[in-house]
Amino acid sequence: MKITKICCIGAGYVGGPTMAVIAQKCPHIQVTVVDLNEQRIADWNNPDPEKIPIYEPGLSEIVAEARGRNLFFSTDVDNAIDEAQMIFISVNTPTKTYGKGKGMAADLKYIELCARQIARVAKQNKIVVEKSTLPVRTAEAIKSILDNTGNGVQFQILSNPEFLAEGTAVTDLLNPDRILIGGDTTPEGEEAINSLVEVYANWVSKNQILTTNVWSSELSKLTANAFLAQRISSINAMSELCEKTGADVNEVAKAIGMDSRIGPKFLKASVGFGGSCFQKDILNLVYIAKSYGLDEVSDYWEQVIIMNDHQKRRFSNKIVQTLYNTVADKKIAFLGWAFKKDTNDTRESAAIYVADDLINEQAKISVYDPKVSKNKMLSDMDYLETRTKEENLKSLNVFENAYEACKDAHAIAILTEWDEFTTYDWKKIYDSMHKPAFIFDGRNILDAKQLESIGFVYNGIGS
Ligand code: NAD
Ligand code: UGA
């Protein structure tokens, strides 16, 4: 089937950018992105493309080009489902916070609601594409709902996981390493797979489009995230050993990364990985393995999370210890709050947990982040439920620029690797601080020698 109308349920960090790129590259396809969240849709429709809800380099230009031409954002989910031949499900799949599997399993309630809505509305055959990251064998549940509650029409379920990383979403979507499409091995399944292959073939070469069975595709997504996160936990584990032995983790990473079997990427030691997916997807993997009785497999992957939690806590402990074992009433400046540079996303950002630890020690935190609003930071703190909103408001001050945030601080902690942090007048910042002035570089982005020559006491990760 030649696809001319696509609907995507979920206008978030994946649905928005992915559909914007499909619309840009396929002007002959009408793409409608729908969401229950009225504010989010209103923001996507903001006449000023600079004000769209997600910050990603290059995204506003693509939205400006395609929006109103063949890219539409709407809250009318039923209508978009009814019109489309192909429906992407791109809703959130967070860790369950209740019941069986609490704290580990993926919460599939939003996925099930989508499946039920598609079943209710669809009057013609549809291809349903899992874009969200899902536990292996979720397609079975979706198929069962569609077939048992639908109007007798035929559904084909495809798995098409998304591998974009935030901050580089547009380049990742334009030049993907691969596109993965899983489907049934029946003639109808193969026809559905081909329909989706033809959509991507508008800009991705066919030898980068990999087709598999549904279960391999679903599990490959969890596996990819687990392997990436494992590399970070591995290098972070080494960073602690480096600090004890006089080795330098940056040098170690460079030395091992030049081995072509290991490769240089994802070897940057840090305060710990954040983001909405690594932790949730590994916990999900751990839960799935456990539910099949594979205890060794589940323990193996759980260690990646245990190491990451340790790394975040180790960073805040180091600040307290270095500041003479007390940070009570001391001002600690945070540069960065986003979970990585070039995004306004703060989900699971290490900054939140480090701030929480330090506020428990009665520190005063002053934050500057180029893209994250004060309200977002405060709501991240409130979400932890460690203390009241009023207490968070008193302990966390947000500034419009780094120089103000660092003024009169006892220490600076770098929590996000924003490029602009490397361009500052660090002498000016040093002069405005309490002495001795400490820097805890949780991203190893600053020039230690230069800062030490100014007078800073510099602490990187793993050196
Ligand atoms: P998100 O929270 O930013 O967006 C999800 C959107 O779905 C929300 O706006 C929500 O209102 C909407 N939604 C939920 N239920 C709905 C329903 N029944 N009808 C209409 N709208 C509904 O999430 P995200 O970051 O875009 O992630 C979506 C999925 O993609 C997750 O499974 C995630 O694991 C996966 N993923 C995310 C990334 C990433 O970089 N964020 C990358 C790859 C994969
Ligand atoms: C990650 C994967 O890279 C994507 O392929 C995947 O699609 C996505 O998860 C997802 O499923 O959501 P993302 O979380 O957006 O993407 O960003 P990453 O670049 O992977 O960074 C994740 C975290 O690890 C960040 O906090 C980053 O600072 C940290 N990190 C990354 C390190 O500490 N060291 C590194 O070497 C690399």
Side-chain angles (χ1 to χ4, degrees):
M1 190 198 313
K2 190 157 170 56
I3 302 297
T4 54
K5 284 190 178 161
I6 284 177
C7 154
C8 173
I9 309 180
Y13 283 87
V14 169
T18 309
M19 292 302 129
V21 168
I22 291 183
Q24 187 205 31
K25 293 293 176 186
C26 312
H28 56 286
I29 301 179
Q30 179 184 310
V31 180
T32 307
V33 192
V34 290
D35 205 294
L36 296 173
N37 183 332
E38 290 180 8
Q39 185 59 52
R40 212 164 207 185
I41 292 298
D43 290 344
W44 280 111
N45 282 323
N46 194 313
D48 179 355
E50 292 295 331
K51 300 223 165 83
I52 55 177
I54 289 169
Y55 172 72
E56 277 290 339
L59 181 61
S60 60
E61 290 85 343
I62 293 178
V63 171
E65 179 186 333
R67 197 180 55 194
R69 181 188 71 188
N70 64 325
L71 175 64
F72 303 92
F73 294 93
S74 164
T75 50
D76 190 348
V77 184
D78 279 3
N79 189 47
I81 292 173
D82 182 34
E83 285 195 341
Q85 301 140 311
M86 181 176 269
I87 302 160
F88 286 79
I89 302 182
S90 191
V91 300
N92 36 328
T93 49
T95 304
K96 260 185 108 176
T97 53
Y98 55 89
K100 193 162 176 277
K102 178 179 172 180
M104 296 209 114
D107 191 342
L108 298 179
K109 68 180 172 194
Y110 306 107
I111 296 287
E112 175 159 347
L113 281 173
C114 289
R116 288 189 184 278
Q117 191 163 7
I118 295 169
R120 177 174 55 75
V121 172
K123 304 283 185 309
Q124 281 127 27
N125 297 350
K126 310 268 177 202
I127 298 170
V128 176
V129 184
E130 299 174 345
K131 187 51 117 174
S132 299
T133 302
L134 296 170
V136 55
R137 296 202 80 87
T138 305
E140 201 167 40
I142 296 181
K143 180 118 185 80
S144 166
I145 292 168
L146 290 172
D147 288 347
N148 289 302
T149 63
N151 303 308
V153 300
Q154 297 298 309
F155 294 102
Q156 281 301 320
I157 321 289
L158 301 178
S159 160
N160 172 221
E162 184 47 62
F163 295 102
L164 69 81
E166 290 179 30
T168 53
V170 170
T171 43
D172 294 343
L173 287 163
L174 291 175
N175 306 297
D177 285 347
R178 79 314 208 172
I179 295 290
L180 179 59
I181 303 174
D184 279 352
T185 45
T186 57
E188 298 80 15
E190 277 163 15
E191 197 194 335
I193 292 176
N194 282 338
S195 303
L196 186 52
V197 168
E198 290 309 321
V199 173
Y200 284 110
N202 283 293
W203 78 99
V204 181
S205 104
K206 281 206 177 158
N207 55 24
Q208 283 168 290
I209 305 178
L210 186 66
T211 60
T212 65
N213 79 32
V214 185
W215 321 128
S216 305
S217 172
E218 288 177 337
L219 188 56
S220 297
K221 172 63 197 177
L222 294 181
T223 310
N225 274 0
F227 270 59
L228 290 169
Q230 181 201 41
R231 282 174 70 99
I232 304 170
S233 278
S234 297
I235 199 71
N236 281 344
M238 290 306 163
S239 74
E240 190 169 14
L241 195 53
C242 285
E243 287 169 29
K244 295 284 181 212
T245 56
D248 178 331
V249 77
N250 298 317
E251 293 178 351
V252 173
K254 188 166 182 193
I256 64 165
M258 285 173 75
D259 184 327
S260 61
R261 295 168 303 174
I262 296 175
K265 294 182 182 167
F266 271 69
L267 286 181
K268 187 109 182 106
S270 70
V271 55
F273 60 76
S276 62
C277 291
F278 278 170
Q279 174 164 309
K280 125 179 129 58
D281 292 347
I282 294 175
L283 288 173
N284 185 4
L285 192 63
V286 167
Y287 182 75
I288 294 168
K290 256 196 180 57
S291 67
Y292 286 106
L294 309 180
D295 291 343
E296 290 79 3
V297 178
S298 90
D299 290 350
Y300 176 77
W301 286 110
E302 192 168 16
Q303 201 58 38
V304 173
I305 301 292
I306 292 172
M307 188 62 223
N308 196 52
D309 287 340
H310 171 68
Q311 188 76 348
K312 291 182 269 187
R313 208 163 311 111
R314 196 166 82 75
F315 186 76
S316 32
N317 284 344
K318 185 159 194 184
I319 295 178
V320 177
Q321 276 164 15
T322 312
L323 269 71
Y324 316 106
N325 287 314
T326 175
V327 288
D329 295 323
K330 289 181 182 167
K331 177 172 169 178
I332 316 283
F334 274 29
L335 297 187
W337 190 267
F339 82 96
K340 62 183 285 197
K341 75 172 180 179
D342 291 338
T343 177
N344 58 351
D345 194 349
T346 64
R347 290 177 288 181
E348 290 300 325
S349 180
I352 301 168
Y353 298 95
V354 176
D356 192 48
D357 283 351
L358 294 176
I359 295 172
N360 280 344
E361 293 292 330
Q362 300 189 351
K364 301 278 180 220
I365 308 294
S366 56
V367 194
Y368 164 70
D369 185 287
K371 290 287 174 197
V372 182
S373 69
K374 177 178 178 175
N375 283 346
K376 186 82 200 70
M377 294 179 198
L378 285 167
S379 76
D380 288 339
M381 294 306 297
D382 293 344
Y383 187 74
L384 293 180
E385 295 184 347
T386 315
R387 59 191 76 75
T388 64
K389 278 181 190 303
E390 290 68 35
E391 285 166 334
N392 280 328
L393 204 54
K394 266 194 221 146
S395 310
L396 194 91
N397 289 300
V398 183
F399 291 84
E400 293 289 305
N401 71 68
Y403 294 90
E404 285 298 313
C406 296
K407 191 162 171 285
D408 296 325
H410 289 81
I412 296 171
I414 309 285
L415 274 309
T416 314
E417 71 281 23
W418 286 103
D419 290 338
E420 68 171 65
F421 298 163
T422 61
T423 65
Y424 289 164
D425 179 347
W426 282 99
K427 171 80 172 78
K428 184 170 163 193
I429 292 177
Y430 176 80
D431 288 341
S432 74
M433 289 175 64
H434 277 277
K435 306 295 175 321
F438 297 92
I439 290 199
F440 298 89
D441 187 353
R443 297 295 185 161
N444 287 353
I445 53 168
L446 299 178
D447 182 338
K449 284 209 173 76
Q450 186 218 343
L451 292 170
E452 281 165 357
S453 74
I454 291 170
F456 278 108
V457 181
Y458 178 89
N459 281 276
I461 301 277
S463 59

